[in-house]
Amino acid sequence: MRSKLVMAVVGTLLLAGATACGEDSTASSSTTTGDSAAVEAAQAEIEEASTPLTFTAPGPPLDASKSRGSSIHVVALNLQVPLLSHISEYVSEVGGELGMKVSIHNADDQVTGMQKGIQDAIAQRADALLILGVPVDLVRSALQDAKAAGIPVINVLNNPIDMDAPGQGAGEEFYASVGTDLGLGGRLIAEKAIVDTDGQANVLFVDSEGLSPQPPVAAAVKETLGECDGCTLETKNVPVANWGTDITPLVVTSLRANPNINYVITLFDSMAIFATAGVQQAGAAGTVHVVSHNGGSAALSLVKKGDVMTADPGVSEEWAGWAAIDQAMRGMQGLEPGDPMVPYLYLDTASVQDVDVENERDVYGDPFVAGFRELWGLE
């Protein structure tokens, strides 16, 4: 377990040729006293998100034996991205156990490869098509062909969920999605800063506009901090192509320019690794902390140390893989799509102390295994 949702769209931004580091600074008014009501509300939601995960059936029971012998075609943006390779592996493993044929196509960041993967699914008369990290706008015509061929297409951890929109937020070309509550992720990381500073969070938010999951996360961070009367917010934008080069010096410069900053929030935890280095280089470890979300093992290792990075709520990649199989079978069998949500778990320094952060089941638990097996008539 190394990375999460954001890595699925890294290739998208690289394809788009993202370049310069933009800086968009905004600030809310501050007071000299903390907002106790904001602290209380934040603590309540954090506590609710910290409870061990339980399985809730995404839809009515289905008979997995009806899908035995069927085929699932997976088109991944780039299997060098750990999230995409891990989910592909989980889909292949679970599908194989259910007697399905799972074919995995690596587009290797090439538009022609993405299009070919979808066209191969059509030519091979796949019974379901899973899209992992592929930017929809680049393959919309091919996806329309897949839909016309009667293939249910599922977008996996690649779009904000909207239950009232086509494809559960993925678009007209899709049967369903698998995703998570990105707004909750944004609220939780802002709430961590509010609680730790007793309602006086002076936040540097390192954003990255242009990523498909970005809008609900950024909106939640800004709204949550905006409702805290004792908090301030300064926002900087760093394109994904520049994360490795620009985030660390940006944090160093920002902390030196504004010594009142006491928390750095990053859009996703792959960015938090560089932000943590910036806090350390600025000599601010112990006084300035970092929080983000996605629950990747590299960031959770920093959370486990706890000196700079303090929390990293996230979702289980394996759970997402099982959920993708569930959606695929519902599509094959002509059923309504299931609930696409994979649940968040709040993870902080205290909660991961005795956990192997490299082991997803150790971090998140595995209630989904027995849950899906029972739902599918296997137990």
Side-chain angles (χ1 to χ4, degrees):
M1 180 185 69
R2 292 180 175 81
S3 67
K4 298 286 177 184
L5 179 62
V6 67
M7 296 311 297
V9 290
V10 167
T12 305
L13 270 291
L14 295 178
L15 283 167
T19 53
C21 170
E23 298 189 7
D24 174 25
S25 300
T26 59
S28 63
S29 61
S30 65
T31 64
T32 57
T33 59
D35 186 338
S36 59
V39 173
E40 184 177 352
Q43 187 62 57
E45 185 158 48
I46 287 173
E47 289 177 0
E48 183 178 357
S50 301
T51 58
L53 298 179
T54 58
F55 178 80
T56 299
L62 58 83
D63 184 355
S65 67
K66 292 182 178 180
S67 295
R68 182 172 293 275
S70 60
S71 62
I72 296 178
H73 197 81
V74 179
V75 179
L77 177 68
N78 189 328
L79 290 177
Q80 294 300 311
V81 177
L83 168 67
L84 305 184
S85 64
H86 294 167
I87 292 180
S88 297
E89 291 166 5
Y90 292 133
V91 167
S92 183
E93 178 183 325
V94 178
E97 180 184 347
L98 297 177
M100 301 178 189
K101 178 184 177 182
V102 178
S103 302
I104 299 174
H105 178 89
N106 182 14
D108 199 23
D109 287 330
Q110 301 300 309
V111 176
T112 54
M114 303 172 207
Q115 294 170 336
K116 183 179 186 302
I118 296 169
Q119 293 298 338
D120 284 351
I122 298 170
Q124 296 167 17
R125 299 184 179 182
D127 295 296
L129 172 60
L130 304 184
I131 300 297
L132 304 185
V134 173
V136 174
D137 286 342
L138 298 180
V139 293
R140 195 171 297 279
S141 177
L143 289 171
Q144 290 170 347
D145 291 342
K147 181 179 180 180
I151 301 174
V153 185
I154 297 99
N155 210 21
V156 182
L157 291 184
N158 198 37
N159 60 276
I161 298 300
D162 183 348
M163 297 299 291
D164 296 324
Q168 299 177 323
E172 294 281 355
E173 299 80 11
F174 292 85
Y175 160 75
S177 298
V178 172
T180 193
D181 186 349
L182 294 167
L184 174 60
R187 291 197 306 276
L188 288 172
I189 56 181
E191 288 165 347
K192 174 62 171 172
I194 291 170
V195 169
D196 281 0
T197 61
D198 198 23
Q200 299 182 76
N202 297 315
V203 172
L204 169 65
F205 176 41
V206 185
D207 199 356
S208 192
E209 296 174 356
L211 299 172
S212 58
Q214 180 266 353
V217 179
V221 168
K222 294 174 182 179
E223 180 179 353
T224 302
L225 289 168
E227 293 173 349
C228 173
D229 290 339
C231 300
T232 66
L233 174 64
E234 180 180 352
T235 300
K236 303 286 187 179
N237 183 63
V238 180
V240 64
N242 299 348
W243 287 1
T245 57
D246 290 2
I247 292 177
T248 298
L250 171 65
V251 170
V252 172
T253 301
S254 298
L255 295 183
R256 289 174 178 169
N258 182 1
N260 292 322
I261 292 172
N262 53 20
Y263 242 100
V264 178
I265 296 176
T266 65
L267 182 69
F268 292 110
D269 67 359
S270 299
M271 305 164 72
I273 296 169
F274 302 112
T276 297
V279 171
Q280 293 167 333
Q281 289 183 22
T287 58
V288 177
H289 293 96
V290 175
V291 64
S292 193
H293 76 121
N294 266 356
S297 59
L300 285 176
S301 295
L302 296 176
V303 172
K304 196 168 187 175
K305 293 179 181 178
D307 56 336
V308 177
M309 192 168 178
T310 58
D312 188 27
V315 299
S316 165
E317 294 169 348
E318 185 178 8
W319 194 319
W322 284 68
I325 289 285
D326 183 81
Q327 292 283 50
M329 288 196 293
R330 292 181 189 280
M332 293 174 190
Q333 297 181 22
L335 304 174
E336 289 295 315
D339 186 334
M341 288 294 191
V342 180
Y344 256 98
L345 181 64
Y346 180 81
L347 300 165
D348 63 10
T349 301
S351 65
V352 300
Q353 278 308 297
D354 299 321
V355 169
D356 177 3
V357 297
E358 296 288 344
N359 184 331
E360 273 215 339
R361 292 195 183 185
D362 204 18
V363 175
Y364 296 99
D366 61 357
F368 59 91
V369 176
F372 277 121
R373 290 183 63 84
E374 181 178 358
L375 187 68
W376 299 341
L378 302 178
E379 292 184 353

